[in-house]
């Protein structure tokens, strides 16, 4: 049997050398055009709009900035998408986003709560001119109450009993509208986070004095929720880092938070 011989020439020899060099480079050089680790550093945060904690334009806020800063300490890049909080959690369960901020509930199966990044401050507001004195949550049942949608789910049976006895109980999706209700005497009491009320009051033209009772409800820790345990653990490390290096305090000062 004859052996097929390809004529050798300077041109073909040069071509073989080029191919051999390319093969060697592919074997010994890192592949930079398809790095899965780099791809996994991109995260999608789902949140809702609720200044000063979550602000849509420009994207910022106490919740968003603290959690983003903690993750960025660990090398992640975070894209923020806005939904209702109920929809945001559904997106997390469906694995279309990587984390939800904020959450106030205990850890759910298959999801992982991070360490608390801030404490919310539930406060009952009333007009100073009415001189309303509240010694317990039950006392709220003597007045018209307004609060945000789903408030009963956060504060439980004692508040529910008070709202059932109250002359009127309103739940409204718009936090800003709650300030209007109180200032225009359409509600006697508004239950809302202190800093949310303060934000919208300062944005308004109202100058009516009000009282703020923050002794009836305990502070509520807000946490981010993740679908990946390793990312949750990285966030926890990053949160400690921004506390240690002063970045956390800078975010609090930026929004006038105590």
């Amino acid at each position: 049997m004859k052996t097929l011989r390809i004529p050798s020439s300077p041109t073909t020899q040069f071509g073989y050398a080029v191919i051999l060099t390319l093969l060697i480079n592919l074997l010994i050089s890192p592949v930079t055009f398809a790095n899965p680790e780099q791809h996994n550093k991109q995260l999608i945060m789902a949140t809702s709009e609720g200044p000063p904690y979550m602000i849509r334009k420009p994207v910022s806020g106490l919740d968003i900035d603290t959690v983003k800063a903690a993750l960025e300490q660990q090398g992640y890049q975070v894209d923020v998408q806005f939904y209702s909080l109920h929809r945001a959690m559904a997106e997390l369960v469906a694995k279309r986003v990587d984390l939800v901020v904020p959450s106030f509930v205990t850890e759910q199966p298959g999801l992982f709560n991070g360490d608390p990044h801030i404490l919310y401050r539930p406060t009952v507001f009333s007009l100073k001119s009415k001189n309303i004195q509240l010694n317990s949550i039950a006392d709220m049942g003597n007045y018209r109450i307004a609060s945000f949608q789903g408030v009963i789910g956060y504060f439980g049976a004692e508040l529910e009993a008070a709202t059932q006895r109250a002359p009127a109980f309103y739940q409204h999706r718009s936090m800003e509208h709650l300030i209007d209700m109180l200032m225009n005497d359409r509600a006697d009491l508004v239950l809302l986070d202190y800093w949310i009320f303060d934000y919208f009051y300062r944005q308004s033209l109202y100058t009516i004095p009000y009282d703020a009772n923050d002794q009836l409800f305990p502070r509520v820790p807000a946490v981010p929720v993740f679908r990946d345990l390793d990312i949750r653990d990285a966030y926890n490390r990053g949160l400690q880092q921004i506390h240690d290096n002063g970045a956390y305090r800078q975010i609090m000062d930026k929004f006038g938070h105590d």
Side-chain angles (χ1 to χ4, degrees):
M1 183 176 65
K2 294 182 178 181
T3 302
L4 179 65
R5 304 179 70 84
I6 300 175
S8 177
S9 69
T11 301
T12 56
Q13 290 175 359
F14 175 76
Y16 294 152
V18 171
I19 293 172
L20 182 61
T21 301
L22 288 172
L23 289 172
I24 292 172
N25 285 338
L26 286 172
L27 289 172
I28 66 175
S29 300
V31 178
T32 58
F33 53 82
N35 188 342
E37 182 179 353
Q38 184 178 13
H39 175 74
N40 289 339
K41 289 291 187 178
Q42 304 285 334
L43 301 177
I44 298 176
M45 173 196 294
T47 188
S48 185
E49 189 167 14
Y53 293 96
M54 303 90 74
I55 301 172
R56 187 186 294 267
K57 292 182 181 180
V59 175
S60 61
L62 287 157
D63 278 305
I64 293 173
D65 287 3
T66 51
V67 175
K68 276 188 68 177
L71 288 166
E72 286 168 356
Q73 284 287 323
Q74 294 291 305
Y76 290 96
Q77 296 180 0
V78 182
D79 178 52
V80 181
Q81 297 181 2
F82 286 84
Y83 306 89
S84 69
L85 284 180
H86 178 77
R87 169 74 185 281
M89 192 60 68
E91 293 292 303
L92 184 67
V93 171
K95 301 184 177 180
R96 289 189 287 265
V97 301
D98 299 290
L99 65 147
V100 167
V101 178
S103 176
F104 307 96
V105 299
T106 56
E107 197 163 88
Q108 303 172 59
L111 300 176
F112 307 97
N113 284 5
D115 290 338
H117 58 278
I118 201 165
L119 293 175
Y120 276 57
R121 183 177 165 186
T123 303
V124 180
F125 298 90
S126 60
L127 295 181
K128 189 173 288 289
S129 61
K130 293 192 173 183
N131 193 32
I132 295 176
Q133 303 296 319
L134 300 172
N135 297 311
S136 66
I137 296 174
D139 289 345
M140 295 175 63
N142 299 319
Y143 303 95
R144 296 171 298 165
I145 304 170
S147 192
F148 56 91
Q149 285 184 338
V151 63
I152 300 300
Y154 290 106
F155 297 113
E158 192 174 3
L159 177 62
E160 183 176 16
T163 60
Q164 289 175 348
R165 291 192 300 103
F169 173 50
Y170 310 96
Q171 296 184 79
H172 206 281
R173 182 175 182 180
S174 168
M175 308 292 187
E176 188 174 8
H177 185 69
L178 295 173
I179 284 76
D180 291 333
M181 292 187 69
L182 183 66
M183 296 297 145
N184 292 299
D185 197 26
R186 296 199 300 272
D188 302 309
L189 305 175
V190 163
L191 171 56
L192 195 59
D193 174 80
Y194 179 88
W195 295 106
I196 294 176
F197 186 100
D198 176 73
Y199 177 88
F200 284 115
Y201 184 83
R202 286 187 289 106
Q203 295 291 315
S204 75
L205 299 177
Y206 295 118
T207 58
I208 303 171
Y210 61 85
D211 288 322
N213 185 337
D214 64 356
Q215 301 303 305
L216 298 182
F217 297 91
R219 301 291 196 270
V220 179
V223 303
V225 184
F226 299 85
R227 63 183 180 89
D228 183 277
L229 180 60
D230 291 336
I231 298 175
R232 190 281 306 274
D233 291 345
Y235 156 79
N236 285 348
R237 293 191 297 269
L239 182 63
Q240 184 60 55
Q241 286 178 294
I242 65 173
H243 275 286
D244 294 342
N245 64 24
Y248 183 89
R249 183 68 263 169
Q250 291 177 3
I251 295 170
M252 297 300 106
D253 291 343
K254 173 183 174 183
F255 293 97
H257 198 284
D258 63 358

